[in-house]
Amino acid sequence: MEKKEQLYEGKAKKVFATEDPALCIVSYKDDATAFNGLKKGTIAGKGVVNNRMSNLLMRLLEQNGVPTHLVQELSERDTLVKKVQIVPLEVIVRNVSAGSFAKRYGVPEGIVFDEPTIEFSYKCDALDDPLLNTYHALALKLATKEEIATIERYAFRVNEVLKEYFLHLGVRLIDFKLEFGRLPDGTIVLADEISPDTCRFWDAETGEKLDKDRFRRDMGGVEDAYREIFKRVKGE
Ligand code: ADP
Ligand code: UDP
């Protein structure tokens, strides 16, 4: 399957049409942004790590009852996926306080929750992805009640599977963001990516951050962190 015209260029990926209208190719870049594009940079090798890691995790999720957009990894940076209509919600699951949660509620990072939390943001760069609840999502017709129920069920299932998986690799899954899409028949599937760009990973022994927070917070060692988490996922 070959790339045809470019349909979209985002902050971290490009999306191309293919000869099959039901499929597209996502191509992962090394470009990195944070704070809704305010901070820009590149992370050498990030595209390769995110592409391959996301595919590996999506395969694992498929085996554990979560349908995904993944069709086939084509190369280091390119993957064939089912073309979906993205549900414009960023679905965030948290096990431990960090980032905007810690800031919003005035608590330190690192508080372990008794139960995971879920929240939604309206995926809209112009509005800076505002937080919303399910009533707001319904009022704005972003998704139906049934779709939201399905999305919540899958999101918590993703958390169970990945939390367990990463713990075996000596990594704590702190929080992550998911995106879901609709296939032409209306089926909801997990889309976009699962990577150090979209998850917080803390080393279980040292607490070292192995994710994009190193870039967001100018901590240095960004490339090394992406390499390290990928090495563990590959089982090296
Ligand atoms: P952004 O749009 O936030 O800058 P990216 O650079 O990652 O993000 O761009 C990838 C775009 O492709 C995102 O808007 C994402 O919602 C969309 N996308 C992800 N998976 C699919 C898919 N299977 N079909 C169609 N669009 C997708
Ligand atoms: N996240 C993401 N894209 C976004 C916002 C958040 O992938 O646009 C991920 C982020 O990497 C983290 C989780 O979602 O793993 C929770 O992020 P948070 O709400 O704490 O926001 P941040 O601190 O990144 O602004």
Side-chain angles (χ1 to χ4, degrees), residues 14 28 33 69 76 100 144-146 155 177 199 214 228:
K14 294 179 183 177
Y28 286 70
T33 64
H69 69 165
E76 276 194 326
S100 71
T144 66
K145 245 184 195 167
E146 292 70 30
K177 183 267 298 178
C199 304
R214 301 199 80 87
E228 175 60 28

Side-chain angles (χ1 to χ4, degrees), residues 30-222:
D30 285 350
D31 297 353
T33 64
F35 314 117
N36 197 16
L38 237 56
K39 183 182 170 84
K40 286 194 176 74
T42 51
I43 301 173
K46 172 172 88 80
V48 176
V49 169
N50 286 9
N51 178 45
R52 298 189 53 195
M53 188 163 152
S54 189
N55 292 341
L56 217 139
L57 297 178
M58 292 232 186
R59 245 174 254 133
L60 173 73
L61 291 166
E62 289 269 2
Q63 290 159 8
N64 285 278
V66 181
T68 79
H69 69 165
L70 177 62
V71 177
Q72 192 195 348
E73 187 169 288
L74 299 176
S75 70
E76 276 194 326
R77 289 178 186 269
D78 292 354
T79 292
L80 187 65
V81 298
K82 292 175 190 161
K83 188 174 177 182
V84 299
Q85 181 188 45
I86 291 285
V87 176
L89 293 172
E90 299 205 330
V91 180
I92 294 172
V93 177
R94 302 176 190 271
N95 297 303
V96 176
S97 67
S100 71
F101 182 97
K103 197 168 164 207
R104 187 181 320 125
Y105 302 117
V107 295
E109 294 198 305
I111 297 171
V112 180
F113 303 148
D114 291 342
E115 296 285 335
T117 68
I118 192 163
E119 74 210 40
F120 301 104
S121 291
Y122 178 22
K123 194 173 145 61
C124 177
D125 283 343
L127 297 173
D128 217 357
D129 298 342
L131 194 66
L132 47 61
N133 66 30
T134 55
Y135 295 96
H136 300 146
L138 289 173
L140 295 168
K141 295 194 176 6
L142 305 182
T144 66
K145 245 184 195 167
E146 292 70 30
E147 286 175 334
I148 292 174
T150 304
I151 286 172
E152 286 194 349
R153 189 162 49 81
Y154 286 156
F156 282 126
R157 181 70 187 142
V158 169
N159 187 49
E160 280 174 12
V161 173
L162 295 189
K163 209 176 128 180
E164 176 78 14
Y165 172 79
F166 279 104
L167 208 52
H168 284 294
L169 305 176
V171 173
R172 296 172 70 200
L173 178 63
I174 304 304
D175 59 27
F176 57 89
K177 183 267 298 178
L178 302 174
E179 291 182 26
F180 291 87
R182 300 177 186 100
L183 295 178
D185 69 358
T187 310
I188 293 284
V189 299
L190 181 62
D192 205 50
E193 67 177 279
I194 307 178
S195 72
D197 273 17
T198 64
C199 304
R200 286 193 170 96
F201 298 119
W202 294 358
D203 183 281
E205 289 283 309
T206 64
E208 192 190 355
K209 295 186 198 308
L210 299 172
D211 57 59
K212 196 172 155 188
D213 269 349
R214 301 199 80 87
F215 169 79
R216 293 190 191 100
R217 301 178 186 189
D218 295 318
M219 298 171 75
V222 186

Side-chain angles (χ1 to χ4, degrees), residues 221-232:
V222 186
E223 279 90 358
D224 283 345
Y226 278 71
R227 262 197 297 274
E228 175 60 28
I229 190 83
F230 187 38
K231 245 173 70 179
R232 295 208 202 172

